[in-house]
Amino acid sequence: MNRDKVLAATRQWLEKAVIGLNLCPFAKSVYVKNQVRIVVSDARHVDAFLEELDRELDFLAAADPAEVDTTLLVHPALFPDFLDFNEIVGIAEEAVAEHELEGVLQVASFHPRFRFEGTGEDDIENYTNRSPYPTLHLLREDSIERAVAAYPDAETIPERNIETMNRLGHDGWKALGIPDGGEDDTP
């Protein structure tokens, strides 16, 4: 695994898509303050990855939010299938409860083949949650609540993101240069 390549692709996705397209209006402030921890996992099997998830949940819960506000746990090779990855997302949500962190942390997910229920595989709205590699995003609920309180009409973000992606289209997405999981971008 080329850790530098994975980190670079993840940062490019954050900068050009998540922040650049304003898919998450809350991301820029923590990113520019270096409060986003990106952990590239090299776990060889699911159990080892879940142990790493346990460590990251504990780390983030104990960390000073001014130093680390959120964590992206990225695995470039272990979860190529989106449906299999969704099972891991469910296990990650259960791990939050097991660590007694409900109401403290939550899990969001991104995947190169992310697909909203009821959409076609290549529908552009799926790209709002597509990342170069399977990624678990561990977020502080306090940070989300503060950001939502400060952002007018936060409930319109998903709809606005779909509109953004429809305007951008597949050609616009490709022009960003972000691997979409469909090309040979094995690290």
Side-chain angles (χ1 to χ4, degrees), residues 11-24 27-28 164 168 176 178:
R11 288 188 184 283
Q12 180 183 15
W13 165 68
L14 282 169
E15 293 167 5
K16 290 187 174 185
V18 177
I19 295 169
L21 297 175
N22 202 30
L23 298 177
C24 177
K28 184 177 181 177
T164 296
L168 186 68
L176 295 175
I178 301 168

Side-chain angles (χ1 to χ4, degrees), residues 56-75:
E56 287 305 316
L57 287 169
D58 290 339
F59 175 88
L60 185 59
D64 178 352
E67 296 292 320
V68 180
D69 191 69
T70 190
T71 298
L72 298 175
L73 179 57
V74 182
H75 200 296

Side-chain angles (χ1 to χ4, degrees), residues 58-127:
D58 290 339
F59 175 88
L60 185 59
D64 178 352
E67 296 292 320
V68 180
D69 191 69
T70 190
T71 298
L72 298 175
L73 179 57
V74 182
H75 200 296
L78 197 57
F79 308 107
D81 183 81
F82 175 61
L83 295 178
D84 290 344
F85 181 67
N86 264 350
E87 290 182 27
I88 296 302
V89 174
I91 293 169
E93 291 168 346
E94 291 171 9
V96 169
E98 289 169 5
H99 285 256
E100 298 180 354
L101 294 170
E102 288 181 304
V104 177
L105 300 179
Q106 65 177 255
V107 178
S109 62
F110 301 92
H111 191 276
R113 291 284 176 228
F114 188 94
R115 185 174 175 186
F116 288 109
E117 187 174 342
T119 63
E121 184 175 335
D122 292 325
D123 289 356
I124 194 67
E125 60 259 34
N126 294 321
Y127 286 69

Side-chain angles (χ1 to χ4, degrees), residues 174-185:
K174 286 180 184 173
L176 295 175
I178 301 168
D180 69 3
E183 51 200 69
D184 186 10
D185 60 348

